């Protein structure tokens, strides 16, 4: 039984993007698993080509270079669930009650607090490497969010009214993540993971909207399956969303736009 992680840890004060740096290492043939942490990113990347905020000592920004070589690309959504759940459980250890927005965003009090950007390389159907980039708003003060994010984003500081050392949070996360990751690598059972994820889901039972081939649909989110797909019911038919842009209707008032990666995907 292989035990994880065996990360080599690389700390930087300033980089353009920890994902970008981790990718360079991967593409240059780095065989070790890495944890790349930066105090500040000058070109932090979010999903859908968006920028990711980076305030030194207020945001935790890191990327894991992972080599789950016994998995294939279809398993990547499971890894997204593991990452999201581990972030949520790390916050719970510190007394917060986060929720998970499928597949891998973390929310506190209906505002986004953490995001995950996954990139991978596949050869002969096997994952060669995965880069899991994680951004967590730890000590961000409200005024340090750009105006347009102030109503939709939050931080542990805003919610908990006290500073938390970014290293402490990272340590909590790594301990929890390592355990889930190790389980995932060593056996294919993800039932327990799914139960824990589902308990914290803020999407299930709610109306979501999503786009497919330029058309917008509204449907009720019903369940998340073993492969990380979201099943929705639309006009009494079930559809499976594998990845894509999803919005959630909050109290029928406003719709919060969430970006969940590049390719929309729905099957029936
Ligand atoms: C999202 O859009 O929700 C995903 C945000 C991911 C941001 C993190 S910060 C560390 C890593 N490096 C990047 O450039 N992006 C990810």
């Amino acid at each position: 039984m292989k035990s994880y992680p065996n990360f080599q840890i690389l700390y930087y004060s300033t980089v353009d993007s920890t994902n970008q740096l981790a990718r360079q290492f991967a593409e240059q043939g780095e065989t070790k698993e890495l944890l790349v942490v930066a105090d500040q990113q000058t070109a932090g990347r979010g999903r859908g080509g968006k920028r990711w905020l980076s305030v030194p000592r207020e945001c935790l920004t890191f990327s894991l270079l992972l080599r789950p070589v016994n998995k294939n690309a279809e398993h990547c959504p499971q890894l997204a669930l593991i990452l999201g759940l581990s972030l949520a459980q790390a916050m719970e250890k510190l007394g917060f009650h986060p929720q998970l927005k499928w597949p891998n965003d973390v929310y506190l009090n209906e505002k986004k607090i953490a995001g995950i950007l996954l990139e991978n390389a596949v050869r002969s159907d096997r994952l060669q490497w995965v880069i899991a980039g994680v951004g967590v708003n730890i000590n961000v003060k409200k005024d340090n969010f750009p105006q347009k994010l102030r109503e939709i984003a939050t931080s542990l500081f805003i919610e908990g009214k006290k500073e938390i050392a970014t290293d402490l949070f990272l340590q909590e996360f790594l301990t929890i993540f390592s355990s889930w990751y190790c389980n995932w690598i060593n056996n294919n059972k993800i039932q327990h993971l799914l139960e824990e994820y589902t308990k914290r889901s803020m999407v299930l039972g709610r109306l979501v909207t999503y786009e497919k081939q330029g058309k917008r649909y509204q449907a009720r989110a019903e369940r998340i399956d073993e492969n990380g797909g979201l099943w929705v019911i639309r006009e009494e038919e079930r559809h499976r969303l594998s990845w894509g842009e999803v919005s959630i209707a909050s109290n029928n008032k406003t719709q919060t736009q969430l970006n969940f990666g590049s390719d929309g995907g729905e099957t029936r």
Side-chain angles (χ1 to χ4, degrees):
M1 177 125 154
K2 199 167 176 196
S3 92
Y4 281 90
N6 235 338
F7 298 121
Q8 180 179 341
I9 302 176
L10 303 173
Y11 271 101
Y12 295 85
S13 69
T14 305
V15 296
D16 51 1
S17 149
T18 55
N19 262 44
Q20 181 59 25
L21 194 56
R23 175 183 269 270
Q24 279 165 16
F25 284 118
E27 288 176 348
Q28 284 160 9
E30 175 59 69
T31 52
K32 290 190 281 297
E33 292 186 302
L34 302 181
L35 165 61
V36 182
V37 194
D39 282 342
Q40 186 175 18
Q41 297 186 121
T42 53
R45 304 200 309 236
R47 291 195 301 278
K50 295 188 178 159
R51 294 292 291 266
W52 185 260
L53 177 79
S54 179
V55 184
R57 288 172 302 283
E58 297 194 358
C59 296
L60 172 63
T61 51
F62 64 93
S63 299
L64 300 168
L65 169 58
L66 303 166
R67 295 194 168 274
V69 286
N70 62 341
K71 305 283 180 188
N72 56 41
E74 285 76 60
H75 291 119
C76 249
Q78 295 178 340
L79 184 57
L81 301 186
I82 291 174
L83 287 154
L85 178 61
S86 303
L87 285 170
Q89 290 183 320
M91 289 177 198
E92 286 166 9
K93 281 217 127 190
L94 299 171
F96 296 94
H97 302 285
Q99 286 194 294
L100 291 163
K101 190 159 269 179
W102 177 89
N104 54 3
D105 278 335
V106 187
Y107 274 63
L108 254 184
N109 297 330
E110 305 266 328
K111 292 180 177 179
K112 183 160 167 171
I113 192 153
I116 297 163
L117 178 65
L118 282 176
E119 300 179 61
N120 65 51
V122 178
R123 193 183 303 150
S124 308
D125 199 37
R126 291 280 156 196
L127 281 171
Q128 291 305 293
W129 49 257
V130 178
I131 292 163
V134 178
V136 190
N137 302 327
I138 304 272
N139 293 314
V140 187
K141 314 298 174 301
K142 193 158 185 165
D143 287 352
N144 287 342
F145 279 116
Q147 189 71 44
K148 63 177 187 206
L149 292 184
R150 284 185 197 158
E151 296 310 312
I152 57 171
T154 192
S155 69
L156 295 180
F157 177 83
I158 292 170
E159 302 299 325
K161 310 275 182 288
K162 64 170 190 214
E163 300 254 349
I164 290 169
T166 51
D167 284 0
L168 172 79
F169 183 85
L170 180 57
Q171 196 52 55
E172 294 286 6
F173 165 80
L174 287 174
T175 306
I176 296 165
F177 172 77
S178 303
S179 163
W180 285 117
Y181 186 74
C182 181
N183 250 309
W184 181 63
I185 290 293
N186 288 306
N187 65 58
N188 288 321
K189 297 193 191 87
I190 68 149
Q191 200 48 42
H192 180 44
L193 168 83
L194 212 49
E195 279 165 22
E196 291 300 319
Y197 186 97
T198 298
K199 270 190 219 166
R200 294 165 177 82
S201 169
M202 67 184 290
V203 168
L204 297 182
R206 292 174 76 172
L207 278 180
V208 294
T209 59
Y210 61 95
E211 261 186 39
K212 189 178 179 256
Q213 290 165 351
K215 281 187 78 177
R216 207 160 174 75
Y217 298 99
Q218 191 166 69
R220 191 162 299 279
E222 189 188 35
R223 74 180 178 94
I224 295 157
D225 68 25
E226 294 234 329
N227 295 316
L230 177 68
W231 285 86
V232 296
I233 305 180
R234 191 181 82 221
E235 291 166 8
E236 295 179 21
E237 274 187 3
R238 288 191 162 79
H239 303 262
R240 182 179 188 272
L241 308 185
S242 52
W243 208 246
E245 291 283 336
V246 178
S247 308
I248 189 164
S250 59
N251 303 330
N252 296 329
K253 281 186 291 189
T254 48
Q255 297 228 318
T256 316
Q257 182 73 56
L258 307 165
N259 60 328
F260 284 134
S262 47
D263 301 312
E266 178 209 71
T267 50
R268 269 206 276 163

